[in-house]
Amino acid sequence: MATQPFENLPSPFLSDTFQRTLSSWNRERLAPAFPAADWELAQRRAYNMQRLERAFLESLRAEVSHRAKAVPREPGPFMEWFENLKVAGPGQGDPLFPWLAEEADRSQICWILEQEAAGEAGFDDLVALTQVKLPSGPKLELARNYWDEMGRGNAKGMHGPMLARLVEALDLHPAIETTVWESLALANAMTAMATTRAYAWHSVGALGVIELTASGRSAYVAKALRRIGLSGKERQYFDLHAMLDIKHSADWNREAILPLVEEDPRRAVAIAEGALIRLEAGKRCFDRYRRALWNAPAHS
């Protein structure tokens, strides 16, 4: 039987139904499990979901491809373009974060953090998935980054449990069913790039741009949490990322992205696409959060 072409798929990708379905499948497929009794049925379902996931990711690539094709291929100029995303990239300078730091009340802060926690794809796992078969130098940089995410072997320093402690302190209840599709789409896009080797360079760019841009937003969130009375231990996740991501970004750019582009300039476009996909996904989240809390129009 002939399969339906991607462009004729009836499911809209940027929607509640699709993103909730994809998010639920991602959580199911990435969780440790046992072989299914009917493995052929499970494999058919996985094929159908991967096909939809690939179509979703290609739609995101189409959104940014014209910008990515214009990036420099020479390593030095490319790195200048990439590092400028911190200032000029989609979603940067969004007014949501100064407002969060200075004006948002506790319920508004909690609502945003609940959305973010539910859409969290797990930076540590994304790095681990992305580094498979990378060249040695970039692989080592991703390993160093992963080791930091894992608290350098100390359970109390692991970044994932730090976020979980904040969720518990604020009595948040993140769930796919109550999370806006924009937040789920961000996590789904990151997961798709990290788990599909054809998008490995995209994932390097997407993870790198998180490190590049997260420190400023983290500082605003940390200020908001301090303002509503959370302790240093409770806001540790955001206090840490406000400082550590600056170093992580410099290391990632120097030790991972730069040598990858030096070795093969074609990777510049893929890395740029991944970075822009991640930034556009973040911008959609910020716009949705402001509409929900301010009844405000999209930010240009």
Side-chain angles (χ1 to χ4, degrees):
M1 179 183 296
T3 57
Q4 190 177 9
F6 288 144
E7 60 268 26
N8 294 330
L9 288 169
S11 301
F13 299 125
L14 301 183
S15 69
D16 285 326
T17 300
F18 179 78
Q19 294 302 330
R20 293 191 205 289
T21 300
L22 185 55
S23 185
S24 296
W25 178 67
N26 276 327
R27 293 192 181 189
E28 176 185 327
R29 68 159 170 151
L30 293 175
F34 296 99
D38 189 344
W39 65 267
E40 289 181 306
L41 178 63
Q43 192 66 30
R44 285 195 295 271
R45 177 171 179 255
Y47 170 77
N48 288 333
M49 288 304 302
Q50 286 170 337
R51 188 166 171 270
L52 287 167
E53 178 187 61
R54 187 73 174 257
F56 162 57
L57 201 48
E58 284 299 309
S59 75
L60 298 181
R61 282 189 66 214
E63 181 183 14
V64 304
S65 62
H66 64 288
R67 282 173 281 173
K69 287 177 182 176
V71 302
R73 307 302 199 274
E74 300 80 10
F78 176 76
M79 293 310 302
E80 290 179 13
W81 174 87
F82 187 86
E83 291 171 0
N84 191 52
L85 290 173
K86 184 174 184 177
V87 177
Q92 301 313 294
D94 196 288
L96 175 72
F97 293 94
W99 170 82
L100 192 66
E102 301 290 347
E103 301 180 43
D105 62 32
R106 186 183 182 96
S107 66
Q108 292 168 325
I109 293 168
C110 287
W111 184 82
I112 288 178
L113 291 178
E114 194 167 75
Q115 298 297 308
E116 293 284 284
E120 172 62 37
F123 195 90
D124 52 351
D125 290 337
L126 296 175
V127 171
L129 290 162
T130 300
Q131 60 80 39
V132 175
K133 300 299 183 181
L134 287 190
S136 296
K139 189 181 184 76
L140 281 170
E141 176 52 36
L142 269 66
R144 287 188 286 267
N145 189 291
Y146 178 78
W147 189 233
D148 280 350
E149 289 285 327
M150 299 304 291
R152 295 179 168 266
N154 183 342
K156 292 181 179 180
M158 292 173 66
H159 294 191
M162 281 184 199
L163 181 59
R165 286 195 293 272
L166 175 62
V167 167
E168 183 178 356
L170 291 173
D171 193 28
L172 306 182
H173 302 280
I176 291 173
E177 297 75 19
T178 56
T179 303
V180 298
W181 68 259
E182 291 88 346
S183 182
L184 299 178
L186 188 156
N188 288 334
M190 294 299 299
T191 301
M193 288 186 280
T195 56
T196 310
R197 299 316 291 160
Y199 301 94
W201 313 125
H202 290 76
S203 189
V204 170
L207 293 168
V209 89
I210 291 175
E211 299 286 29
L212 180 71
T213 62
S215 61
R217 293 193 300 273
S218 294
Y220 281 126
V221 176
K223 187 174 181 179
L225 295 175
R226 189 180 305 113
R227 180 168 57 81
I228 64 172
L230 267 67
S231 69
K233 183 177 180 180
E234 290 168 335
R235 64 175 191 269
Q236 183 181 15
Y237 179 84
F238 286 101
D239 281 338
L240 178 66
H241 282 274
M243 298 180 296
L244 187 61
D245 284 351
I246 296 172
K247 179 181 184 302
H248 276 178
S249 176
D251 293 344
W252 192 287
N253 292 353
R254 184 184 63 254
E255 303 295 339
I257 294 179
L258 178 61
L260 287 173
V261 175
E262 286 176 334
E263 185 176 81
D264 186 347
R266 294 177 302 171
R267 295 171 183 161
V269 174
I271 290 169
E273 285 183 348
L276 291 169
I277 285 171
R278 171 57 180 81
L279 292 178
E280 288 290 352
K283 182 179 183 299
R284 276 190 284 268
C285 289
F286 308 154
D287 287 345
R288 178 65 182 271
Y289 298 164
R290 281 187 286 95
R291 291 199 305 273
L293 298 174
W294 301 0
N295 193 26
H299 179 59
S300 60

